[in-house]
């Protein structure tokens, strides 16, 4: 098959070619005729045929694009980097007539996975110095993607093998020239070391290929965070890169990962889904395969923690009445992960007109009484229960409104209570209290209030002390303490009225007093 051997001896020939271009072209064509017995390939116009694959070779861009017939239409599926021969590679549409596992090329040199396109023009691997997979020209391999052949279409072993394995004889091939590489673009070239003139093709899938023993590399940047706060966003794949050390291509997009999470009770890692909404220690294992199937992996530990300051909620400025109890109100605190820290809060309170604050626990703050009119400063503080124990605080103003005390008066202040039946003392009290209510006047924070048995409290006490007065079976004097509790400041106020108790208990059902024993007359027999 037609191919020029560009080895060390060939360099001398190249110098001759640069001087005698026209003569070399003639000799080349003679070589074609003598070496293969096949005349120069000419472009032919053929009718279209429905083959499974259609290979379009762009000899100007040195790219071959494979199209697959899908539902009656050819769609691009692969792009190969090739080396054509410029004008020595014919343009036109052809159908592949033959294949050769190994083929002797011009030089002599040798090629793998050869598929004839037309005449002496083949698809084949970059050439070898001998019939040995370890003798491929490293210099020529690095020329893939550039014009380098003398007519044939050179490919990497992997790409030549794909055509050899997948494209049946009779596959349609169109060779053309364009600056546009094709719908899939131009693949990036693989570069090998030229410190040795011959070696294996890095893409050769042969299990003995030493390149297949070269593992890819996974790198995890120092920027990759190993701890993440609860609920924060975290990209598992960020700052992780991978490279194929044979093809020198990036494998970052092909990196896969698996996750396990530590179970503290069982002291083992179990398969899990990584989530910053679940505290704990995770192992993330990254793995990737090279183009030749060699695997590499790296594992890191990532801990989801809750070390930020807790969140204090419902701490707002308030206006309350004097003597309001509970300085916590509805204020709550919790960790970012949801655990309550409300009872762990400390509360400092500065009274109106004072500079020094009084600090207390949450439980004591619940019993605190705002007993002074004015504006209080209340500061809530709570620490995270985890190191580094970050704290959160919120300060609010509590305005305490000081209301006027209620006022209660009685006019008149003296009343008579008549008891006609020792079993009806309660009724007598009820009648007396009705009279007292009529005499009472109330003002609550400047507003008049209508007195009633519902907003007044009556206490019967002695004439000279506050002991309860209970003996209503005889005449006497007592007092009634009438109390009203302010609706604003909840402070009770009282007024005292004097009571004269009169007992009129009949002896025979008539409304007359009983006759004392000293005044009775003894009957005469």
């Amino acid at each position: 098959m037609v191919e020029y051997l560009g080895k060390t001896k060939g360099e001398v020939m190249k110098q001759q070619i640069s001087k005698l271009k026209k003569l070399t072209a003639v000799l080349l064509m003679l070589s074609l005729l003598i070496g293969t017995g096949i005349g120069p390939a000419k472009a032919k116009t053929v009718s279209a045929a429905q083959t499974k694959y259609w290979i379009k070779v762009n000899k100007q861009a040195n790219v071959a694009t494979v199209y697959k017939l899908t539902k009656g239409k050819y769609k691009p599926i692969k792009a190969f980097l090739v080396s054509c021969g410029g004008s020595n590679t014919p343009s036109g549409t052809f159908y592949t007539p033959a294949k050769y596992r190994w083929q002797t090329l011009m030089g002599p040199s040798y090629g793998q996975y050869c598929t004839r396109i037309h005449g002496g023009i083949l698809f084949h691997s970059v050439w070898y110095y001998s019939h040995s997979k370890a003798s491929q020209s490293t210099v020529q391999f690095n020329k893939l993607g550039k014009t380098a052949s003398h007519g044939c279409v050179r490919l990497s072993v992997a790409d030549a093998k794909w055509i050899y394995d997948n494209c049946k004889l009779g596959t349609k091939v169109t060779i053309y020239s364009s600056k546009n590489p094709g719908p899939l673009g131009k693949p990036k070239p693989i570069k090998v070391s030229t410190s040795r003139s011959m070696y294996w093709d890095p893409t050769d899938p042969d299990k003995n290929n030493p390149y297949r023993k070269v593992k890819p590399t996974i790198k995890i940047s120092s920027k990759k965070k190993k701890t993440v706060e609860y609920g924060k966003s975290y990209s598992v794949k960020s700052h992780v890169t991978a490279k194929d050390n044979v093809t020198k291509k990036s494998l970052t997009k092909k990196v896969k990962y698996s996750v396990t999470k530590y179970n503290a009770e069982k002291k083992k890692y179990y398969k899990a889904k990584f989530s910053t909404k679940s505290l704990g220690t995770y192992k993330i294992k990254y793995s990737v395969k090279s183009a030749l199937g060699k695997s590499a992996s790296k594992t890191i530990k990532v801990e989801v923690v809750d070390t930020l300051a807790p969140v204090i909620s419902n701490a707002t400025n308030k206006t309350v009445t004097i003597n309001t109890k509970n300085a916590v109100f509805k204020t709550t605190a919790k960790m970012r992960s949801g655990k309550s820290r409300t009872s762990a809060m400390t509360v400092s309170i500065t009274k109106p007109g004072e500079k020094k604050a009084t600090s207390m626990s949450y439980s004591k703050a619940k019993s605190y009484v705002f007993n002074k009119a004015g504006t209080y400063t209340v500061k809530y503080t709570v620490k995270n229960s985890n190191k580094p124990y970050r704290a959160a605080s919120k300060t609010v103003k509590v305005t305490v409104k000081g209301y006027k005390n209620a006022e209660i008066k009685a006019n008149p202040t003296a009343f008579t209570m008549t008891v006609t039946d020792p079993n009806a003392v309660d009724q007598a009290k009820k009648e007396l209290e009705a009279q007292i209510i009529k005499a009472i006047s109330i003002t609550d924070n400047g507003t008049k209030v209508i007195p009633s048995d519902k907003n007044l409290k009556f206490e019967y006490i002695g004439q000279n002390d506050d002991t309860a007065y209970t003996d209503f079976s005889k005449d006497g004097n007592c007092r009634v303490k009438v109390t009203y509790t302010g609706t604003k400041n909840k402070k009770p106020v009282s007024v005292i009225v004097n009571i004269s108790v009169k007992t009129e208990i009949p002896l025979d059902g008539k409304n007359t007093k009983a006759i004392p024993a000293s005044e009775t007359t003894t009957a005469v027999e």
Side-chain angles (χ1 to χ4, degrees), residues 52-123:
K52 182 177 180 180
Y53 296 106
W54 182 2
I55 305 173
K56 295 185 179 181
V57 180
N58 183 344
K59 62 181 180 178
Q60 181 178 348
N62 286 293
V63 175
T65 304
V66 179
Y67 293 75
K68 184 177 181 180
L69 186 63
T70 305
K71 295 181 180 180
K73 292 184 178 180
Y74 282 102
K75 296 183 178 180
I77 60 167
K78 287 180 177 291
F80 298 143
L81 204 63
V82 302
S83 285
C84 296
S87 60
N88 291 326
T89 301
S91 298
T93 297
F94 311 95
Y95 295 86
T96 58
K99 295 182 181 182
Y100 316 92
R101 176 64 184 81
W102 277 91
Q103 183 64 23
T104 302
L105 307 175
M106 181 183 172
S109 58
Y110 305 89
Q112 286 201 81
Y113 301 108
C114 306
T115 300
R116 187 189 298 277
I117 300 171
H118 176 73
I121 306 301
L122 307 175
F123 286 121

Side-chain angles (χ1 to χ4, degrees), residues 47 50 55 103 124 159 167 172 180 214 251 255 279 317 345 366 374 419 427 438 464 474-475 496 513 518:
S47 58
Q50 295 288 296
I55 305 173
Q103 183 64 23
H124 63 73
D159 294 343
C167 298
K172 188 176 181 179
N180 184 348
V214 180
L251 295 174
V255 172
L279 297 174
N317 295 336
M345 283 194 297
K366 288 182 72 175
V419 180
Q427 180 62 30
K438 291 180 180 180
N464 299 314
K474 61 182 179 180
D475 291 352
I496 303 291
K513 276 189 170 183
S518 60

Side-chain angles (χ1 to χ4, degrees), residues 451-467:
S452 70
D453 57 355
K454 293 182 180 180
N455 59 17
L456 295 175
K457 179 182 177 182
F458 296 87
E459 294 179 82
Y460 291 82
I461 57 178
Q463 183 68 30
N464 299 314
D465 55 41
D466 288 340
T467 59

